Amino acid sequence: MQFDWQFYLTAFFRIGTRYYIIAGIVFFVFYIWKKEKWHYKKIQQRDAKTRDFLREIFYSTTTILIFSLFIYILLLPSVAPYTTRYLKISDHGWLYYFAVYPLLFLIHDTYFYWFHRLMHHPRLFKYVHLVHHQSTNPSPWAAYAFHPIEAVIEQGIVFVFYFAFPIHITHLVFFFLFSIIYNIYGHLGYELYSSKFSQSKIGRWINTSVNHNQHHQYFKGNYGLYLLFWDRMMGTVREDYDAQFEEVTNRKN
């Protein structure tokens, strides 16, 4: 069967657009336009180098190429009929349609936490996850900056979604739009939540930019994606997390 380059490039365009536009706008605002005015709020006060940004963009681009290939394979006429994808919302109703989103959220968060911890195993880390951790002071461009093997592991969640339960063609469009936005926030290098959020009844279960920035800076602890549920259950939240969150969010210019 002949490779459909037009379809593949369409998938690349859709996934890439989310990354390049959102990360680009956020990078421009925080790292160029408001850099001097907001620098005191930056989690790590030192600045990353231009070569760091270029490396992050390069690996993110290779990740998008791999992500696009996965979507291409799943939507092939020879594969798609065996997935649980459906096209008409009326097939399962609006209640089911909206109920799937929190399910996607919880499954992805769990998938990410445990595979993330696995990639920190000493026998795997330097071969797979070290590429992402070259960004010890991450920027928005680091959101997809994975080694190709890690990109395959990350995109494996799509196979889970497409074979586990009925999923509408638009579910992943909106879900992964939310995912890249939160991923970019996690690598932003600035904290957007207010002071005391990390210790509030709800906030203590939500991942923050400070939390993930610590993971990049120290390489240990804080493995979650959207939530801190598994980190707290497994005792992997860094002991200095709340203190650093308060310090960052209470800084005065």
Side-chain angles (χ1 to χ4, degrees), residues 4 21 70 72 90 97 99 102 106 112 117 152 175 185-186 232:
D4 188 342
I21 291 181
F70 271 56
Y72 177 89
S90 59
Y97 178 83
L106 294 174
F112 180 89
R117 284 198 67 177
V152 170
F175 177 75
Y185 155 70
R232 294 202 181 279

Side-chain angles (χ1 to χ4, degrees), residues 98-124:
F98 287 110
V100 166
Y101 284 107
L103 187 60
L104 297 175
F105 180 86
L106 294 174
I107 291 174
H108 193 202
D109 191 70
T110 299
Y111 179 97
F112 180 89
Y113 176 86
W114 288 105
F115 272 103
H116 191 183
R117 284 198 67 177
L118 178 64
M119 288 187 288
H120 272 266
H121 189 283
R123 293 186 178 181
L124 296 177

Side-chain angles (χ1 to χ4, degrees), residues 32-46:
I32 299 176
W33 183 30
K34 296 293 184 179
K35 178 182 178 180
E36 298 301 325
K37 184 176 182 179
W38 292 349
H39 193 269
Y40 75 99
K41 291 178 173 289
K42 196 170 186 299
I43 297 170
Q44 295 185 48
Q45 290 289 281
R46 63 189 178 88

Side-chain angles (χ1 to χ4, degrees), residues 105 109 112-113 116 178 182-183 185-187 191-193 197-198 202-216 221-229 231-232 237 241 245:
F105 180 86
D109 191 70
F112 180 89
Y113 176 86
H116 191 183
F178 160 78
Y182 210 82
N183 200 356
Y185 155 70
H187 295 89
E191 185 53 69
L192 302 183
Y193 286 120
F197 177 81
S198 70
I202 296 177
R204 71 184 304 269
W205 300 103
I206 307 296
N207 202 358
T208 66
S209 192
V210 167
N211 185 281
H212 195 64
N213 193 280
Q214 284 190 319
H215 178 76
H216 275 264
N222 302 358
Y223 299 104
L225 178 56
Y226 310 119
L227 302 175
L228 296 182
F229 173 80
D231 272 313
R232 294 202 181 279
V237 176
Y241 164 55
F245 185 92

Side-chain angles (χ1 to χ4, degrees), residues 7-252:
F7 181 68
Y8 174 75
L9 291 174
T10 298
F12 177 85
F13 176 79
R14 290 177 178 175
I15 298 172
T17 296
R18 295 197 299 253
Y19 167 78
Y20 296 117
I21 291 181
I22 300 172
I25 291 173
V26 172
F27 181 84
F28 173 75
V29 172
F30 284 86
Y31 286 75
I32 299 176
W33 183 30
K34 296 293 184 179
K35 178 182 178 180
E36 298 301 325
K37 184 176 182 179
W38 292 349
H39 193 269
Y40 75 99
K41 291 178 173 289
K42 196 170 186 299
I43 297 170
Q44 295 185 48
Q45 290 289 281
R46 63 189 178 88
D47 291 325
K49 306 294 184 182
T50 300
R51 65 174 178 269
D52 294 316
F53 304 143
L54 294 176
R55 184 192 65 253
E56 291 169 349
I57 293 171
F58 169 78
Y59 277 109
S60 290
T61 301
T62 63
T63 293
I64 295 168
L65 288 168
I66 292 169
F67 282 8
S68 303
L69 183 60
F70 271 56
I71 296 301
Y72 177 89
I73 293 171
L74 282 167
L75 297 183
L76 281 172
S78 58
V79 177
Y82 297 99
T83 70
T84 54
R85 184 185 65 137
Y86 68 99
L87 303 179
K88 295 181 180 179
I89 293 179
S90 59
D91 288 347
H92 295 277
W94 283 102
L95 180 61
Y96 175 84
Y97 178 83
F98 287 110
V100 166
Y101 284 107
L103 187 60
L104 297 175
F105 180 86
L106 294 174
I107 291 174
H108 193 202
D109 191 70
T110 299
Y111 179 97
F112 180 89
Y113 176 86
W114 288 105
F115 272 103
H116 191 183
R117 284 198 67 177
L118 178 64
M119 288 187 288
H120 272 266
H121 189 283
R123 293 186 178 181
L124 296 177
F125 182 82
K126 66 180 179 179
Y127 299 111
V128 180
H129 197 45
L130 180 59
V131 164
H132 190 62
H133 270 281
Q134 286 180 312
S135 299
T136 55
N137 187 15
S139 82
W141 296 118
Y144 279 166
F146 306 135
H147 184 282
I149 295 176
E150 181 171 358
V152 170
I153 294 171
E154 295 286 351
Q155 191 68 342
I157 189 63
V158 177
F159 278 85
V160 175
F161 290 158
Y162 266 113
F163 289 96
F165 47 83
I167 189 163
H168 189 263
I169 192 171
T170 61
H171 273 131
L172 298 192
V173 173
F174 293 119
F175 177 75
F176 282 115
L177 175 60
F178 160 78
S179 181
I180 187 60
I181 291 173
Y182 210 82
N183 200 356
I184 288 171
Y185 155 70
H187 295 89
L188 177 61
Y190 290 80
E191 185 53 69
L192 302 183
Y193 286 120
S194 61
S195 176
K196 305 297 183 183
F197 177 81
S198 70
Q199 298 181 56
S200 67
K201 290 182 178 180
I202 296 177
R204 71 184 304 269
W205 300 103
I206 307 296
N207 202 358
T208 66
S209 192
V210 167
N211 185 281
H212 195 64
N213 193 280
Q214 284 190 319
H215 178 76
H216 275 264
Q217 185 175 5
Y218 301 113
F219 286 42
K220 189 175 182 180
N222 302 358
Y223 299 104
L225 178 56
Y226 310 119
L227 302 175
L228 296 182
F229 173 80
W230 287 110
D231 272 313
R232 294 202 181 279
M233 291 299 101
M234 303 307 297
T236 52
V237 176
R238 289 185 57 85
E239 293 182 359
D240 57 348
Y241 164 55
D242 288 326
Q244 185 169 4
F245 185 92
E246 278 202 52
E247 186 276 319
V248 170
T249 55
N250 282 299
R251 287 178 190 164
K252 303 297 181 184

